Amino acid sequence: MESYKKEFIEFMIDSQVLKFGEFILKSGRKSPFFMNAGGYVTGAQLERLGEYYAKAIHDNYGLDFDVLFGPAYKGIPLSVATTMAISRLYGKEVRYCSNRKEVKDHGDTGILLGSKLKDGDRVVIIEDVTTSGKSIEETYPIIKAQAAVEIKGLMVSLNRMEKGQSDKSALEEIREKYGFEANAIVNMQEVTEYLYNQPYKGQIYIDDERKAAIDAYYEQYGAR
């Protein structure tokens, strides 16, 4: 596993973004783990988060793209932090773009924040986590309505590796439905392998009991 992935897993724990226990998800599923990107709130956290996204985007898509699109609302700070990190780490200038939930009819008008989209732009979409793919259903037509762009891929922070609207994962469903790649900085298999019975700062986050709960969850909800 790449070193930045190990660091990112530790970073999620330190930031109290990745938690273990019993959680009821929006889908109604009872999950033994929960990821909430709303826990990244400080300048230092956002700086590091942008760097992890930048490295993952670089590894999966290279730097041959023009715009990083972050859907409202959580995608807005992600796109800003990551464009800054790409500039700092790789000397590559890409534009950030996000959508508004409501169209603005005065001043900086329209549905977009940041850069406007232009015909021929190559776009990478950035999100926190995708469980069902519903957010892409909303985001894709917004992007396509602005200009004739090429979407190179989607990057999320954590692939939960569970069923979306079929027996396949949400990321696999996105690949098949829209025809572009969908990847994550880390997936839950990597998280589990890294933390299982391995102490981090003196604490075991995934012991035998918790590992059994995770295995049982994936037996029921895991993508095929």
Side-chain angles (χ1 to χ4, degrees), residues 3-64:
S3 60
Y4 76 83
K5 291 190 174 191
K6 297 176 183 178
E7 292 173 11
F8 182 64
I9 294 168
E10 296 171 357
F11 174 60
M12 285 193 290
I13 292 172
D14 290 340
S15 302
Q16 298 186 337
V17 164
L18 179 62
K19 298 181 179 182
F20 298 93
E22 284 192 3
F23 307 92
I24 303 298
L25 305 180
K26 189 183 295 185
S27 62
R29 298 173 182 175
K30 183 185 289 186
S31 173
F33 60 91
F34 183 68
M35 184 265 186
N36 175 25
Y40 301 120
V41 293
T42 70
Q45 286 174 327
L46 289 172
E47 182 178 31
R48 286 187 64 188
L49 181 61
E51 290 177 354
Y52 293 127
Y53 267 107
K55 290 175 181 178
I57 288 170
H58 175 266
D59 280 5
N60 285 276
Y61 304 123
L63 297 173
D64 193 22

Side-chain angles (χ1 to χ4, degrees), residues 76-110:
I76 297 173
L78 294 180
S79 62
V80 173
T82 306
T83 53
M84 294 170 68
I86 290 172
S87 175
R88 185 170 59 251
L89 293 176
Y90 303 110
K92 167 76 173 183
E93 293 297 341
V94 298
R95 292 145 36 217
Y96 97 89
C97 180
S98 297
N99 64 296
R100 294 183 170 97
K101 290 289 188 180
E102 304 84 18
V103 177
K104 189 178 179 186
D105 59 6
H106 62 281
D108 182 19
T109 59

Side-chain angles (χ1 to χ4, degrees), residues 125-193:
I125 303 171
I126 184 171
E127 288 200 301
D128 57 345
V129 64
T130 296
T131 302
S132 68
K134 280 188 175 181
S135 60
I136 293 298
E137 287 183 9
E138 299 173 0
T139 302
Y140 183 81
I142 291 173
I143 294 174
K144 284 297 194 177
Q146 306 307 309
V149 304
E150 174 194 353
I151 299 179
K152 294 199 66 173
L154 166 70
M155 181 61 65
V156 302
S157 60
L158 177 67
N159 180 3
R160 289 183 60 98
M161 300 178 67
E162 57 190 85
K163 297 175 185 177
Q165 298 175 21
S166 68
D167 282 344
K168 298 175 181 177
S169 73
L171 295 187
E172 183 61 32
E173 288 174 350
I174 287 168
R175 291 188 191 105
E176 291 189 357
K177 183 173 182 178
Y178 299 103
F180 56 79
E181 284 298 306
N183 293 286
I185 302 175
V186 294
N187 62 47
M188 269 309 295
Q189 181 177 344
E190 291 169 325
V191 171
T192 303
E193 289 175 355

